[in-house]
Amino acid sequence: MKVFQVVRRAGTWHVHVPDTSSGVYPSQDKAQMVAWACDAARRVAGEVQVRDRGGRVETVYSYAGSSPENEVRHG
C-alpha cells in the first residue's frame, strides 16, 4: 500500500509521494494538499496520513478501490 504524507515544513504544506522523486509544489493551503494526496491515494488504493506541526498523525484516509474505506482521526 502506498502511503502519502501531508506535512508542514518551513511554513508551507508538502505532500511526500512514495517511490518518486517528483511531487506537487508546496502550498500554504493545507486543504488543497490534502485533496491532492487523497485523489492520488484513491487512484492506487493507498493511504494519506495528515500530520500536525509536531509530526504526529492527525488524520488518516484509507482507500480501497475508488471510494473511502475509512477515516480515522487521532488527537
Side-chain angles (χ1 to χ4, degrees):
M1 171 188 292
K2 285 193 175 191
V3 178
F4 299 81
Q5 293 187 31
V6 178
V7 298
R8 186 174 173 95
R9 298 280 188 263
T12 56
W13 291 93
H14 300 257
V15 177
H16 290 245
V17 182
D19 303 326
T20 184
S21 61
S22 63
V24 62
Y25 288 105
S27 173
Q28 293 193 6
D29 186 348
K30 179 182 178 181
Q32 178 185 15
M33 294 289 97
V34 171
W36 186 92
C38 285
D39 185 52
R42 190 177 297 113
R43 285 184 266 134
V44 297
E47 179 177 286
V48 175
Q49 296 177 354
V50 182
R51 297 186 173 268
D52 64 17
R53 292 180 186 193
R56 294 177 304 270
V57 174
E58 178 181 286
T59 307
V60 175
Y61 300 93
S62 295
Y63 296 93
S66 61
S67 61
E69 185 177 89
N70 60 30
E71 176 181 317
V72 179
R73 293 195 179 270
H74 299 270

